[in-house]
Amino acid sequence: MTTDRGIPDALVSALRDARHVCVLTGAGVSAESGVPTFREAQDGLWSRYDPQDLATPEAFLADPALVWRWYRWRRELVADAQPNPGHHAIARSGELVPRLSLVTQNVDNLHQRAGSKDVVEFHGNLFDDRCYADGSRHVGDDSLDVPTCPDCGGHLRPGVVWFGEAIPEEALNESCAAAVDCDVFLSVGTSSVVYPAAGLANLAKDNGALVVEINPSPTMSASYFDIAIAEKSGVILPELVESLSL
Ligand code: BV8
C-alpha cells in the first residue's frame, strides 16, 4: 500500500510512532543544490582527477598546492549553492518527531544553512582549516596558496576526513548511538560505499529499526533496506514531511 504521494503507508505510520528518527545523508542530498556528488565526474580542470585519489593524506603530502586548490574550487562551488527543499524538509522534520539525529557525510554546510541543529559532521567540514602538523583548528582561509599555521608554520589543510583517516571520535560515537537507539533510519542520497558511514544502516537494522533508502538510483544495498524509495530527496522528503504534518 502507498499513500497518494507514493510514500508507503508503513513508513508514514512508523515515522508517526517513532520516538527517535536517525537520518544519514550523502552527497545526493546536495545534488539539487547544484553541488556535484562525490563520485560524479568532475568538470573542467579537475575532470582528470578521481576525488577518491585527491581526498587522501598521501595526495596532500605529495602535492599540497594541488589538493589545496581542489578544495578551494569546491568551497567556491558550495558557497554559491543554496539549500534545497530536501535540506529544508530535514530541518523541518526536527520539529515533527520527538527526537531527530542528523548524521551527514557531506562537508558542504548546507544542512546547517537550512536550519538543521546539532548536525553530526561525519566527514568534517569543507570550510574549516586544520594544521596538518599540530592538528590545531583555524578559520577557513581562501588564499590561492596553501596557508601556513600561525602557531607552528606547518601547512594548513581542509578540516575534512580523508580516506584512510579515522572518523572524529565524538562524531562516530554519537552516530553509532543514534543508529542503535533509533526506531526509523533514513539513508538519503548516498551510494553506501564509504565505511564506516555505510555501516550505520546495518547497526540500525540489527537493533530493530525500520531502515529506508531514498535514492533515485537504487544502490547495491537497496535490497538490504526494508523500504527503498527511488526518488530524489528534494521531491520525496517534502512529501514525507507533509504526510507527517497532516
Ligand atoms: C576509515 C570527506 C579507518 C573528504 C569523504 C582501503 C584502504 C584504506 C581505507 C579503506 C580501504 N577500504 C575501505 C576503506 C575504508 C574507507 C572506504 O570506505 N573506502 C571506500 C571507498 C571503499 N573509509 C575510510 O577511509 C574512512 N576512514 O576507514 O578509517 C581508520 C580507523 C582508525 C585509524 C585510522 C583509520 C574515511 C572515509 C571518509 C572519506 N572522506 N569525504 C571530501 O569530501 O573531500 S567520503 C566522500 O564519500 C564524501 O564525504 C561523500 O559524502 C562520501 C560518500 O559518498 P556519497 O555521499 O554516497 O556520494 P556518492 O557520490 O558516492 O553518491 C551520491 C548518491 O546520491 C548516488 O547514489 C546518487 O544516486 C544519489 N543521488 C543523486 N542525486 C540525488 C541522489 N539521491 C537523492 N536525491 C538526489 N537528487
Side-chain angles (χ1 to χ4, degrees):
M1 276 291 285
T2 60
T3 61
D4 57 2
R5 292 180 162 83
I7 298 170
D9 289 344
L11 175 54
V12 177
S13 49
L15 286 170
R16 283 195 179 132
D17 298 342
R19 287 168 308 114
H20 183 183
V21 175
C22 183
V23 181
L24 170 71
T25 62
V29 158
S30 298
E32 291 158 87
S33 297
V35 179
T37 62
F38 195 74
R39 278 161 192 80
E40 205 170 330
Q42 300 194 102
D43 60 11
L45 165 67
W46 304 106
S47 56
R48 62 178 179 276
Y49 295 99
D50 178 346
Q52 212 150 290
D53 296 336
L54 289 178
T56 63
E58 294 76 13
F60 185 74
L61 290 173
D63 190 342
L66 174 75
V67 174
W68 178 262
R69 279 204 309 276
W70 179 52
Y71 278 95
R72 192 172 179 282
W73 171 70
R74 287 175 61 193
R75 281 178 177 171
E76 286 173 353
L77 265 186
V78 171
D80 295 341
Q82 294 302 321
N84 66 61
H87 293 109
H88 289 297
I90 291 171
R92 170 108 171 78
S93 64
E95 300 153 20
L96 298 172
V97 296
R99 184 179 168 204
L100 178 86
S101 294
L102 174 56
V103 179
T104 187
Q105 300 172 87
N106 300 338
V107 295
D108 57 27
N109 226 32
L110 287 174
H111 282 303
Q112 292 91 328
R113 287 174 55 197
S116 286
K117 303 276 183 283
D118 307 324
V119 180
V120 179
E121 295 181 311
F122 208 71
H123 293 154
N125 190 302
L126 190 58
F127 296 95
D128 293 339
D129 286 343
R130 211 167 64 223
C131 174
Y132 192 89
D134 66 25
S136 54
R137 300 172 70 88
H138 300 273
V139 174
D141 183 314
D142 68 353
S143 56
L144 264 174
D145 302 319
V146 187
T148 50
C149 172
D151 305 337
C152 75
H155 281 321
L156 291 189
R157 52 162 287 179
V160 298
V161 179
W162 281 331
F163 288 99
E165 293 186 322
I167 305 302
E169 191 178 353
E170 190 181 339
L172 184 61
N173 293 341
E174 205 175 323
S175 307
C176 291
V180 166
D181 182 67
C182 71
D183 307 299
V184 179
F185 184 92
L186 302 179
S187 176
V188 190
T190 178
S191 56
S192 297
V193 299
V194 174
Y195 283 82
L200 292 172
N202 306 63
L203 199 54
K205 185 164 186 170
D206 291 348
N207 284 276
L210 176 80
V211 290
V212 180
E213 177 183 86
I214 296 173
N215 190 323
S217 312
T219 66
M220 303 279 281
S221 318
S223 57
Y224 173 80
F225 288 88
D226 299 307
I227 296 174
I229 301 176
E231 184 50 273
K232 292 180 176 180
S233 49
V235 172
I236 207 75
L237 290 177
E239 290 186 8
L240 208 49
V241 165
E242 182 66 23
S243 305
L244 281 183
S245 35
L246 291 180

